[in-house]
Amino acid sequence: MERDPIYMDNQATTPVDPRVIEAMVPFLGEIYGNAASRNHAFGWAAEEAVDRGRSQIANLVGARPKEIIFTSGATESDNLAIKGVAEFYADKGNHIITAVTEHKAVLDTCQALERANLAEVTYLPVDQYGRVDVDDVKKAIRDETILISLMYANNEIGTLHPIRAIGALAKERGILFHCDATQGVGKIPVNVDEDGIDLMSMSAHKMYGPKGCGALYVRSRGPRVRLRAQMHGGGHERGMRSGTLNVAGIVGFGKACELCGQELEAEAGRLMSLRQRLYTGLTENLEEVYLNGHPTERIPGNLNLSFSYVEGESFLMGLNREIALSSGSACTSATLEPSYVLKALGVGEELAHTSIRFGLGRFNTEEDVDYVVRRVSEVVVRLREMSPLYEMAKEGIDLKSVQWKT
Amino acid sequence: MAYTERVVEHYERPRNVGSFAAEEGNVGTGVVGAPECGDVMKLQLKINPQTEVIEDAKFKTFGCGSAIASSSYVTELVKGKTVAEAGAIKNTEIVTELALPPVKIHCSVLAEDAIKAAVADWRDRAEGAGAPKKDAA
């Protein structure tokens, strides 16, 4: 192998930007104070760094710094938002609305609340592109509805929900709106006020920051959102999340947000043109390649394709020393089940098994894309030659009419 | 998930990929699995009607690397065996040879099923063609 492997799985995680690392390094070494130590300069230095990070994050999403609650990542943020609201507002109602294509951190949290009889949850369907219908949200609202939780952008297919319309609806009906914006923040413009978001989950490692550091935006006015803490202890983060702050992580997260903000527009344009190059290259070389997700309403760096007659895992196996891609989401690839997100879109299981997620990011180049197009085309051609399904389809057999022996 | 060396080796250099020509005689074809399960194996055995020895084998597989490796290995395993011997092959032999992890054992089961299906198909055809009836393997 002549070249370094290409990383094109940027919805799983992103490499840490060198400028972020540079900002973090002092806080892994000489600046080691506890941000909660109020009585000496060591603590003040850490606190100052945390304040700065908080502001950088708040700036990117149009929030006030004090509305940013630091967590270990988006999974914790989702847990805190959903359980925290369900528990705090229990006397107001117990009904939550979400959708079937949400991240497992939301779905599993909702199911845990249901099992504990702490909530009733409506899981809305999505259309063929993975979007919820605002009318469906409206119809699902009951007197007891306390929370709507919908993601900004889907982690597998990149599809964007009509967030602003949902935010407006939630506001109109006096219901809190939580948005898991892990895949959206830093990639597309997100503004908690304009979007009508009351709680928002974010993660540093999806935007070229470090792993193990995330945040939950919690609206402080109009309305002031309250939460029942899920992590008890010293009362850090306005009592919503105890635990000594990860100062270096927060510094990196803040820097990552600052960079995303500065580069967002240019980077979105660049990624969209790379994605178009990738899509055009692959569909020119190969027949029967299908797009999963919305053609335009998606984050710039995501392309999810089904390559008929070629099973996804064998596809990745043919490339995994040269190119990092994902089949379904990294969180579910330990199972053999095809993606629940694609199923929810109505993609047949046979096509769901052939889906591949290309996650373009800041460090991908046109040269990377051209290499991926060439190698993916080669692997697909080779595996189709080996595929009995491809052979049958070429012979004119309708695969849906076959009685399979399982 | 990391793959065992043997699986990678079969995946990268699969043995006996292909199909026999439709008009070729003495061929039994087994197709097992389903596209919605993510695995379909087609195994073809060319069998000498006098000796019942498997003289050649070919496969095509839609499935993960372990499914491809299992079917590739099976084509090597059955060649030169009689139909009865091939029918007695157990999936555990494939698991051992390829060092398949527990989540991939179904690939070996599918490969065993493919042998049985191909043999059964060959028998059906042979009987259809008026050949003397043999006891099922």
Side-chain angles (χ1 to χ4, degrees):
Chain A
M1 191 168 53
E2 293 160 23
R3 53 177 303 159
D4 287 340
I6 294 170
Y7 186 76
M8 207 175 273
D9 197 11
N10 286 279
Q11 274 96 59
T13 190
T14 51
V16 184
D17 191 297
R19 294 168 289 181
V20 169
I21 298 174
E22 196 188 347
M24 288 174 71
V25 166
F27 296 89
L28 297 166
E30 65 265 34
I31 311 174
Y32 53 79
N34 185 330
S37 298
R38 292 281 164 80
N39 305 313
H40 49 66
F42 296 84
W44 301 332
E47 190 185 16
E48 195 186 305
V50 166
D51 286 346
R52 187 177 152 78
R54 213 186 285 280
S55 298
Q56 287 166 315
I57 297 161
N59 276 343
L60 180 65
V61 298
R64 286 158 283 270
K66 68 166 184 182
E67 296 176 316
I68 302 297
I69 304 297
F70 287 112
T71 66
S72 62
T75 291
E76 189 191 334
S77 299
D78 287 341
N79 271 265
L80 175 56
I82 296 168
K83 292 180 189 164
V85 164
E87 290 177 19
F88 192 90
Y89 293 93
D91 53 2
K92 207 178 156 219
N94 68 342
H95 182 234
I96 297 172
I97 298 169
T98 185
V100 291
T101 51
E102 289 297 306
H103 192 273
K104 289 288 184 188
V106 167
L107 295 177
D108 206 42
T109 301
C110 285
Q111 283 152 13
L113 287 173
E114 286 181 294
R115 277 196 301 275
N117 284 322
L118 292 172
E120 286 180 23
V121 183
T122 300
Y123 301 91
L124 294 174
V126 293
D127 67 13
Q128 59 177 317
Y129 302 118
R131 302 190 101 202
V132 290
D133 185 333
V134 181
D135 271 344
D136 286 347
V137 180
K138 196 179 284 181
K139 282 183 216 145
I141 294 174
R142 308 177 194 163
D143 290 345
E144 307 78 44
T145 307
I146 48 170
L147 181 70
I148 297 170
S149 179
L150 291 167
M151 70 207 319
Y152 219 106
N154 185 273
N155 48 304
E156 288 189 38
I157 53 175
T159 296
L160 306 172
H161 280 318
I163 289 298
R164 214 160 268 203
I166 295 160
L169 171 66
K171 187 120 301 173
E172 181 195 312
R173 304 293 293 267
I175 298 165
L176 295 178
F177 178 31
H178 166 244
C179 182
D180 178 348
T182 308
Q183 298 286 349
V185 170
K187 318 292 168 55
I188 49 173
V190 170
N191 184 294
V192 289
D193 285 339
E194 288 167 17
D195 294 334
I197 293 168
D198 298 312
L199 297 127
M200 185 167 78
S201 303
M202 299 174 261
S203 179
H205 80 98
K206 305 284 192 191
M207 43 198 290
Y208 313 97
K211 290 164 190 61
C213 191
L216 180 67
Y217 158 79
V218 183
R219 179 172 290 283
S220 64
R221 55 179 132 121
R224 177 181 171 219
V225 178
R226 312 288 299 279
L227 290 176
R228 178 72 47 82
Q230 302 297 309
M231 189 70 78
H232 303 98
H236 306 73
E237 300 297 273
R238 297 196 290 134
M240 291 194 220
R241 202 276 195 179
S242 289
T244 298
L245 291 176
N246 171 3
V247 179
I250 290 165
V251 167
F253 192 4
K255 185 67 184 176
C257 284
E258 183 188 287
L259 295 172
C260 281
Q262 287 164 359
E263 298 172 4
L264 193 142
E265 210 174 314
E267 180 63 2
R270 193 186 74 89
L271 287 178
M272 274 194 262
S273 94
L274 285 184
R275 181 176 78 194
Q276 191 55 42
R277 190 182 183 93
L278 181 59
Y279 180 74
T280 307
L282 289 170
T283 49
E284 275 175 4
N285 284 356
L286 298 165
E287 53 183 346
E288 296 203 59
V289 176
Y290 303 103
L291 177 71
N292 298 311
H294 200 282
T296 54
E297 292 295 311
R298 68 195 300 149
I299 46 168
N302 175 281
L303 185 65
N304 189 310
L305 299 174
S306 284
F307 296 86
S308 290
Y309 320 120
V310 175
E311 195 275 334
E313 192 184 321
S314 66
F315 176 115
L316 295 184
M317 192 173 165
L319 295 166
N320 59 16
R321 286 183 215 161
E322 307 157 68
I323 306 168
L325 300 169
S326 175
S327 172
S329 85
C331 304
T332 53
S333 62
T335 75
L336 302 172
E337 288 298 305
S339 150
Y340 69 95
V341 172
L342 294 180
K343 263 202 239 178
L345 267 58
V347 173
E349 288 201 18
E350 73 285 0
L351 266 185
H353 279 291
T354 71
S355 78
I356 299 293
R357 179 181 71 182
F358 299 84
L360 292 156
R362 185 178 286 167
F363 302 103
N364 289 128
T365 61
E366 275 191 7
E367 194 198 358
D368 290 349
V369 168
D370 293 345
Y371 184 81
V372 169
V373 166
R374 182 166 67 78
R375 287 294 295 129
V376 164
S377 302
E378 285 167 6
V379 166
V380 169
V381 166
R382 176 175 108 90
L383 291 173
R384 280 184 176 170
E385 283 307 313
M386 217 190 280
S387 168
L389 303 180
Y390 185 65
E391 182 180 64
M392 291 163 93
K394 286 281 125 182
E395 286 166 1
I397 297 169
D398 176 10
L399 296 177
K400 296 220 184 318
S401 71
V402 176
Q403 292 284 315
W404 300 101
K405 286 178 227 157
T406 54
Chain B
M1 179 178 339
Y3 298 94
T4 63
E5 239 173 79
R6 296 288 291 142
V7 168
V8 172
E9 206 266 326
H10 274 279
Y11 172 84
E12 283 177 352
R13 294 194 312 110
R15 331 291 200 257
N16 309 305
V17 174
S19 301
F20 290 110
E23 61 276 11
E24 210 156 335
N26 302 320
V27 172
T29 302
V31 180
V32 294
E36 54 271 28
C37 302
D39 294 296
V40 176
M41 280 183 197
K42 186 184 89 167
L43 178 68
Q44 290 190 303
L45 306 176
K46 190 165 171 58
I47 298 164
N48 183 317
Q50 272 75 49
T51 60
E52 295 207 344
V53 166
I54 297 166
E55 293 178 336
D56 202 359
K58 286 190 189 295
F59 86 94
K60 284 201 176 191
T61 290
F62 163 85
C64 67
S66 301
I68 290 171
S70 296
S71 32
S72 167
Y73 173 59
V74 154
T75 59
E76 283 192 319
L77 195 61
V78 296
K79 268 201 229 182
K81 285 197 164 60
T82 65
V83 163
E85 286 165 348
I89 292 172
K90 290 273 163 281
N91 77 297
T92 47
E93 256 177 85
I94 303 164
V95 173
T96 309
E97 166 67 18
L98 299 175
L100 296 179
V103 292
K104 295 298 184 184
I105 287 177
H106 71 277
C107 299
S108 69
V109 175
L110 210 56
E112 181 192 320
D113 291 348
I115 301 174
K116 294 193 161 64
V119 168
D121 178 65
W122 173 74
R123 282 217 189 282
D124 287 350
R125 283 169 199 278
E127 282 164 22
K133 193 172 171 138
K134 304 272 182 184
D135 290 334

